Structures are given as structure tokens and as C-alpha cells.
């Protein structure tokens, strides 16, 4: 199986199941020829001084998170399959009613039919409970999401041209059973299905640089809030390059339009961009930039949210097995058609961590994160500090 397909399958599986790449070099157990089992465990102890993200009457707690991940990998001559499960169990020592466990189950498969035809498939089920809430003492949202999709690639990456065809289907459902005073179910207006199609054409400009043109079509169908049914169309153009002048990255710029099925809300359009760039001036020091501007789905009375975010991070090895990570994120959320509040949120997040690769199978990390949200709506601003220590272990 090609390294491209194998890397794609493993990356999708890990990110979907655990939300981040594994820090340790996990060793797999061979169950049979072409079949491996990989368990990992992460334990985090943190202190959160505002775990509900509220402006007044903040609640704080020590929180213990235990996150085991189990991955089963099967290899074929031209295929690979990964089934992964992660549980995130949180114990709030000052608020036991908020104890919860999130479940993430993902399945991924990669196929290389021949040199010019490759296919990566993915599916997932996620059951999540949030502890943030607009009102102290109110239990956070509970929801589950399901997705299935894939990307078919025609052409060789080193050829003059290559094209991707992608499709994805997602369902979002809420498990909150409480009723409002008007008899409607809490969060029912957020439940939706999304069907997305994408096509990306790559054209080689040099040995390590390719131009790209991308077309996206996403159809949103809401279960009860039918006024939010809409179709998003986006066209993007840009560049992608690998290890050119010590940088690797992809940048895309274009426009996006959101057309509502009904005339209750105004159609929206505007500029859109996505960027991910890595710069490595030294083998032991890496800088990263991620930026995004797009129309997200609306909530709290808005028909859509114009979201803009930029993240800068720096990873630096001070010793062979000791490294730090510093990051800063700036984001803005402009709530469109929110005629009551005309809401605009501006959020700054600072993060700092120090990690020690104690053994091949064991990492120890300490971290601090500060978040501040500045909103023009009363009681929606907040400040939050999180201090943590974590242990990640494998075989």
C-alpha cells in the first residue's frame, strides 16, 4: 500500500477518534498476519476556574480526564483499515453532576487500485456532552453526530494534473430531553443533516508546488428549523507546496454564497479563505499558521455566523526529549440576522505547554491556557484559566 494512502488513513483515524495526534511512539500488538492492535491511555488533571464560560457567578473545579484509545489496524496488499474508539471520561471534583463521558468511534479505509486510482473512506459516531452553558447551574448540551464520506483521487501526485472528488454526509442530533415553556424541545432548532460534495483540481507548477482550484457544494436540511434550510456554494483557488524554502503549506482564497430555501432570511455571500503553513527554520524549531474565514451555521437566533480565526503556534525542542509549545488564537464571530442583539464575539486564546518525552511509551506534559471572550451582548463575555498536567502512555 502506498505511503500516501497509509498516512491519510492513519491521520484521519487518529484525529477523528482523539482530536489530536498521539505524542508517544505507540507500539502495536500483532494479533495475526496483517492485523494489529494499538492501545494508548492519556490521563489529565486540570484546574479550570470557569468551566461554564460565563461572565458572572463562575464555577471552578479540579477535573480528572481519563482517555483510553483502542485502535485495530488491518493491512491488505493494496488496502488498509483502521477501527478506533476513544472515551473521554471527565470527573468534576467540585460538581459531580457534571461528570460525563464522551464516546468517539471511527472507521477508516484506504484503497490503492493502481498508480492513478486511490480511495479513502471514513465514518464516525460521536456522543458528546458539553459543560459550558449560558446559565450557571444548567446542564450543558448533549448531542451525537454521525458521518460517512470519502475522497477518490485520480492521477499521480507527481504528474502534471491530479483531481480529487469528495463526498460527506453528517447528522447532528441533540439528546437533551428538557422542554421549554412553549412546549418545544431544547436545541431542536439546531438538529440538521448536511450533504457535502467537493472537487479539487491540482496543476503542477514546479517540482514541489501545485496550483489548485476547488468547488464545494453543501446542502443543509434542518429537522424542525426549516427556515434555515440552505445551500452553500464556494469556489477557491490557491497553492500547495511541500518543503520549499523550509516551508510546507496550503493556501486557498475565494468566495462563498449561502442561499436559503425560503425567503425568510437574506442570502449571504462574501470572501472565504483557508490557510495552513508550517515553517521549520531549524530541525528543532517549528512555526505554524492556520487561518480561516467562512460562513458557519447559525445559532441563538442568527441565520448564519461569519467566522474568522487565526492561530499561530511555535514548537521548540530545548533538549532531545524536552519541548515547549506556545500558541495564540484570535477569532471573531459575527451573528448574521441577529436583529435583537446584533451579536459580535471576539475571542483571544493563549496557550503554553512543556512536554517531556520520558520514555518511548510515556510522555509527561504541563500546560496553561487563558481564554477571553469579548461580546457586545450582556452576560456573554467571560475569562477562563486552565492549568493542567497530563500523562500519555502506550505499550
Amino acid at each position: 500500500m502506498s505511503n500516501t494512502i497509509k498516512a491519510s488513513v492513519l491521520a484521519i483515524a487518529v484525529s477523528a477518534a482523539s482530536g489530536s495526534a498521539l505524542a508517544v511512539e505507540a507500539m502495536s500488538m500483532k494479533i495475526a498476519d496483517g492485523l494489529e492492535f494499538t492501545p494508548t491511555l492519556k490521563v489529565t488533571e486540570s484546574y479550570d476556574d470557569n468551566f461554564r464560560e460565563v461572565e458572572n457567578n463562575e464555577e471552578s473545579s479540579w477535573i480528572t480526564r481519563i482517555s483510553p484509545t483502542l485502535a485495530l489496524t488491518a493491512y491488505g496488499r493494496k488496502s488498509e483499515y483502521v477501527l478506533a474508539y476513544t472515551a473521554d471520561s471527565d470527573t468534576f471534583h467540585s460538581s459531580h453532576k457534571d461528570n460525563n463521558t464522551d464516546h468517539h468511534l471511527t472507521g477508516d479505509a484506504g484503497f490503492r487500485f493502481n498508480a492513478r486510482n486511490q480511495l479513502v473512506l471514513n465514518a464516525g459516531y460521536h456522543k458528546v456532552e458539553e459543560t459550558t452553558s449560558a446559565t450557571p447551574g444548567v446542564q450543558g448540551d448533549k448531542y451525537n453526530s454521525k458521518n460517512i464520506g470519502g475522497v477518490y483521487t485520480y492521477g499521480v501526485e507527481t504528474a502534471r494534473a491530479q483531481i480529487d472528488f469528495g463526498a460527506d454526509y453528517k447528522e447532528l442530533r441533540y439528546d437533551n430531553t428538557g422542554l421549554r415553556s412553549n412546549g418545544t424541545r431544547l436545541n431542536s432548532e439546531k438538529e440538521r443533516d448536511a450533504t457535502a460534495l467537493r472537487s479539487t483540481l491540482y496543476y503542477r507548477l514546479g517540482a514541489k508546488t501545485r496550483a489548485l482550484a476547488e468547488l464545494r457544494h453543501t446542502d443543509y436540511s434542518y429537522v424542525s428549523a426549516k427556515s434555515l434550510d440552505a445551500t452553500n456554494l464556494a469556489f477557491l483557488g490557491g497553492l500547495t507546496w511541500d518543503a520549499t524554502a523550509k516551508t510546507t503549506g496550503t493556501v486557498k482564497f475565494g468566495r462563498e454564497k449561502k442561499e436559503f430555501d425560503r425567503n425568510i432570511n437574506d442570502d449571504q455571500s462574501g470572501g472565504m479563505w483557508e490557510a495552513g503553513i508550517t515553517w521549520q527554520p531549524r530541525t528543532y524549531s517549528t512555526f505554524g499558521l492556520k487561518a480561516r474565514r467562512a460562513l458557519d451555521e447559525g445559532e441563538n437566533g442568527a441565520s448564519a455566523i461569519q467566522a474568522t480565526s487565526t492561530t499561530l503556534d511555535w514548537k521548540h525542542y530545548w533538549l532531545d526529549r524536552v519541548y515547549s509549545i506556545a500558541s495564540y488564537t484570535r477569532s471573531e464571530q459575527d451573528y448574521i440576522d441577529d436583529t435583537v442583539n446584533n451579536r459580535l464575539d471576539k475571542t483571544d486564546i493563549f496557550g503554553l505547554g512543556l512536554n517531556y518525552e520520558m520514555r518511548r511509551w510515556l510522555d509527561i506534559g504541563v500546560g496553561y491556557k487563558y481564554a477571553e471572550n469579548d461580546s457586545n451582548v450582556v452576560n456573554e463575555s467571560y475569562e477562563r484559566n486552565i492549568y493542567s498536567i497530563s500523562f500519555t502512555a502506550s505499550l
Side-chain angles (χ1 to χ4, degrees):
M1 185 175 188
S2 72
N3 291 332
T4 302
I5 290 292
K6 183 175 181 179
S8 299
V9 173
L10 292 176
I12 292 172
V14 170
S15 62
S18 64
S20 62
L22 297 176
V24 298
E25 296 179 16
M27 180 178 293
S28 301
M29 298 172 54
K30 183 177 180 180
I31 299 177
D33 289 342
L35 185 62
E36 296 179 351
F37 174 66
T38 309
T40 58
L41 176 65
K42 184 174 184 179
V43 179
T44 304
E45 187 71 25
S46 63
Y47 177 77
D48 191 332
D49 70 357
N50 186 9
F51 63 85
R52 295 197 188 280
E53 293 185 346
V54 293
E55 186 170 352
N56 301 300
N57 303 314
E58 299 92 337
E59 296 181 59
S60 61
S61 179
W62 284 95
I63 305 170
T64 301
R65 166 168 286 195
I66 301 175
S67 302
T69 297
L70 308 175
L72 191 64
T73 305
Y75 302 93
R77 188 170 65 88
K78 293 185 177 181
S79 61
E80 181 172 346
Y81 311 86
V82 179
L83 180 65
Y85 168 74
T86 295
D88 294 322
S89 177
D90 290 335
T91 300
F92 290 75
H93 298 282
S94 298
S95 181
H96 289 295
K97 63 182 176 61
D98 289 296
N99 295 350
N100 66 86
T101 301
D102 298 338
H103 303 274
H104 307 276
L105 178 64
T106 62
D108 303 89
F111 306 90
R112 181 179 176 85
F113 304 108
N114 53 49
R116 291 184 175 86
N117 294 273
Q118 302 178 14
L119 177 66
V120 174
L121 302 175
N122 63 84
Y125 174 79
H126 308 273
K127 188 175 180 65
V128 177
E129 178 177 341
E130 295 180 347
T131 56
T132 57
S133 172
T135 304
V138 175
Q139 195 173 41
D141 289 340
K142 298 180 180 180
Y143 60 88
N144 67 82
S145 64
K146 311 176 188 70
N147 71 277
I148 184 169
V151 177
Y152 166 72
T153 301
Y154 177 76
V156 182
E157 187 172 341
T158 56
R160 179 66 67 182
Q162 186 182 43
I163 189 167
D164 288 345
F165 298 99
D168 188 65
Y169 174 77
K170 295 181 180 178
E171 287 185 0
L172 176 64
R173 298 292 185 270
Y174 281 78
D175 302 319
N176 300 58
T177 57
L179 296 177
R180 298 187 179 93
S181 58
N182 61 5
T184 60
R185 190 162 61 87
L186 185 67
N187 291 320
S188 61
E189 72 279 1
K190 299 179 184 179
E191 296 184 328
R192 60 181 180 262
D193 303 332
T195 304
L197 300 173
R198 174 176 60 85
S199 179
T200 308
L201 175 64
Y202 299 93
Y203 185 82
R204 182 163 297 281
L205 301 177
K208 297 181 178 180
T209 304
R210 295 188 294 171
L212 64 87
E214 185 168 293
L215 181 64
R216 301 179 186 177
H217 177 283
T218 306
D219 180 74
Y220 291 98
S221 177
Y222 282 75
V223 176
S224 61
K226 305 307 291 183
S227 63
L228 296 178
D229 288 356
T231 298
N232 283 32
L233 293 170
F235 178 78
L236 299 164
L239 295 172
T240 181
W241 66 95
D242 181 31
T244 301
K246 300 181 180 180
T247 67
T248 299
T250 300
V251 293
K252 303 176 184 179
F253 296 92
R255 291 190 62 83
E256 181 180 21
K257 184 174 183 180
K258 187 179 190 70
E259 297 180 341
F260 291 95
D261 294 353
R262 306 187 181 188
N263 295 325
I264 299 175
N265 299 303
D266 294 331
D267 294 343
Q268 302 295 327
S269 63
M272 178 182 183
W273 64 73
E274 295 174 351
I277 301 173
T278 299
W279 177 48
Q280 192 173 33
R282 297 288 187 271
T283 57
Y284 51 82
S285 194
T286 304
F287 295 85
L289 167 66
K290 293 182 180 179
R292 175 182 180 267
R293 185 179 193 270
L295 287 170
D296 291 340
E297 290 305 283
E299 59 181 31
N300 298 327
S303 63
I305 297 176
Q306 182 67 73
T308 306
S309 65
T310 302
T311 298
L312 299 170
D313 61 72
W314 174 42
K315 180 178 180 180
H316 185 87
Y317 273 87
W318 302 96
L319 299 172
D320 286 344
R321 293 188 290 177
V322 178
Y323 66 91
S324 64
I325 297 180
S327 64
Y328 167 68
T329 298
R330 171 72 173 185
S331 65
E332 293 187 5
Q333 291 185 311
D334 186 2
Y335 288 67
I336 300 171
D337 287 335
D338 181 10
T339 56
V340 176
N341 299 306
N342 194 25
R343 181 173 175 179
L344 175 63
D345 287 4
K346 298 179 180 180
T347 307
D348 294 288
I349 302 175
F350 300 87
L352 184 63
L354 185 65
N355 295 270
Y356 174 39
E357 298 171 337
M358 187 174 181
R359 296 287 187 273
R360 174 200 57 79
W361 51 271
L362 177 64
D363 280 11
I364 301 175
V366 294
Y368 168 72
K369 184 172 77 171
Y370 171 77
E372 179 181 5
N373 183 56
D374 181 15
S375 177
N376 62 351
V377 176
V378 177
N379 295 325
E380 293 296 343
S381 299
Y382 65 84
E383 293 184 53
R384 187 180 186 185
N385 294 274
I386 303 175
Y387 308 85
S388 64
I389 182 171
S390 64
F391 303 85
T392 304
S394 69
L395 294 178

